[in-house]
Amino acid sequence: MIEPFRLHEGSKETTQAEALRKEHPWKITDAELDAFEEKTMLQVRLNELLQESSRAAKLVVVSLPIARKGSVSDHLYMAWLEALTKNLPPTLLIRGNHQSVLTFYS
């Protein structure tokens, strides 16, 4: 999914890799992919759990993953959203602060 947006600078010489980074600063670097591998796999696992528990749902509401501006590239963040919502019923992504705001009454 992210292949067209990868830089692949690891297979190039240092000077050529630097030139590629300057020419395409928006592309996903190998270092960024390695640094965020755990978070990427988390989105895939969350998708699996959502598919299991929300198969019959008419609407799935999910809090957006947090990504601080400048810490992750736009294309990688969009790939996370795609991985999170793939093969789900209609999904509403909301921006939250990752604090529980629901109150359960017994």
Side-chain angles (χ1 to χ4, degrees):
M1 176 177 14
I2 62 171
E3 192 61 33
F5 308 108
R6 291 205 44 208
L7 196 58
H8 293 291
E9 78 276 13
S11 62
K12 312 275 192 288
E13 294 180 15
T14 307
T15 55
Q16 190 178 14
E18 286 295 322
L20 278 173
R21 271 189 231 117
K22 286 181 182 178
E23 188 177 335
H24 305 288
W26 50 271
K27 285 201 171 187
I28 302 168
T29 64
D30 294 341
E32 180 182 24
L33 205 53
D34 289 341
F36 290 108
E37 181 179 10
E38 186 176 329
K39 186 142 185 170
T40 301
M41 297 314 294
L42 174 66
Q43 304 311 316
V44 172
R45 180 64 182 137
L46 285 172
N47 175 268
E48 292 170 354
L49 292 172
L50 286 168
Q51 283 186 37
E52 289 174 15
S53 61
S54 303
R55 191 166 295 146
K58 298 288 184 197
L59 177 69
V60 178
V61 180
V62 180
S63 182
L64 282 165
I66 292 179
R68 304 210 188 292
K69 187 175 181 178
S71 67
V72 64
S73 69
D74 300 341
H75 288 88
L76 185 56
Y77 184 74
M78 294 304 291
W80 289 348
L81 297 182
E82 176 67 24
L84 181 64
T85 59
K86 188 173 184 169
N87 298 325
L88 288 178
T91 305
L92 176 64
L93 298 168
I94 58 171
R95 184 180 180 274
N97 60 4
H98 289 275
Q99 292 182 355
S100 180
V101 294
L102 296 177
T103 304
F104 297 101
Y105 296 99
S106 53

